[in-house]
Amino acid sequence: VTGATALDWVDDTQQLLQQAATLLKTSPDSLLDKLEHLVAQNRQNEKALGVLKGKLAAASANDWLDDAKAIAGIKVLVKRLDTADGDSLLQLVDQLKNKLGESIVLLAGVEDGKVTLVAGASKAASGKVKSGDLVKLVAEQLGGKCGGRPDMARGAGADNGNVQQVLEGASEWVQHQLR
């Protein structure tokens, strides 16, 4: 690009830079610093939001206890949540397992097109249904991967619009394994 075309491109780029600086209430010279600050602040806000969603889910956990189905002396709870924070889901699975006793818990956190899976089983239940097998069943249907132990497993996949159906199928699979 040379001549008048090059000058037009420079002018257009300068206008764009000035518009971006005005939008962010800064000068063109400080634009990069301002963007870096805003990106860092946005990351912090997203983390804080994830933690708050996890706390909100944990506060609702007691209400879910009645949703657990008792099969062959083991309570089975499968839930879909609107948070994909894996650490919060892990803590929530532990909390639910402790409250339910002999149990198998599968939580699927769905957010921004991603699905985070966490399953946990009490000691007796993990002898009948391994958490890793359960998460693998779900993750494969969501185009994802997983890993874990018989008593605790994690996985991830993509929200393909069938998460609820996949979870219902997983619940039926667990029930079949326990009978």
Side-chain angles (χ1 to χ4, degrees):
V1 180
T2 61
T5 307
L7 292 175
D8 288 344
W9 180 82
V10 169
D11 285 342
D12 291 345
T13 303
Q14 285 288 77
Q15 285 180 354
L16 238 116
L17 185 62
Q18 185 59 48
Q19 288 173 349
T22 302
L23 181 67
L24 296 177
K25 298 179 181 165
T26 190
S27 68
D29 294 336
S30 303
L31 187 60
L32 187 58
D33 291 337
K34 182 74 170 190
L35 277 172
E36 287 173 345
H37 172 74
L38 288 173
V39 167
Q41 187 177 18
N42 188 48
R43 281 191 191 118
Q44 287 178 329
N45 289 342
E46 286 177 354
K47 285 181 183 178
L49 180 61
V51 168
L52 290 174
K53 283 183 178 181
K55 287 181 180 181
L56 180 62
S60 302
N62 287 334
D63 298 338
W64 304 337
L65 297 176
D66 294 335
D67 295 340
K69 297 175 185 174
I71 298 143
I74 296 175
K75 293 181 181 171
V76 178
L77 180 64
V78 177
K79 277 284 186 198
R80 178 189 190 277
L81 308 173
D82 293 327
T83 180
D85 179 46
D87 293 334
S88 295
L89 292 175
L90 188 64
Q91 291 174 358
L92 196 50
V93 165
D94 277 339
Q95 179 185 350
L96 289 164
K97 277 191 336 182
N98 290 337
K99 290 183 178 186
L100 289 169
E102 290 303 325
S103 60
I104 298 169
V105 177
L106 170 64
L107 299 180
V110 181
E111 190 172 39
D112 297 330
K114 298 176 185 172
V115 181
T116 302
L117 304 165
V118 179
S122 61
K123 190 168 187 160
S126 67
K128 297 179 180 180
V129 176
K130 292 177 178 46
S131 296
D133 293 345
L134 176 57
V135 172
K136 182 179 179 185
L137 174 82
V138 176
E140 285 178 348
Q141 293 179 59
L142 298 174
K145 297 179 181 181
C146 70
R149 306 179 312 265
D151 64 327
M152 184 67 69
R154 296 173 80 160
D159 184 0
N160 58 12
N162 296 328
V163 174
Q164 193 59 42
Q165 291 170 318
V166 171
L167 291 177
E168 289 169 7
S171 181
E172 291 171 12
W173 180 82
V174 169
Q175 291 174 35
H176 179 73
Q177 299 300 309
L178 292 175
R179 291 191 175 140

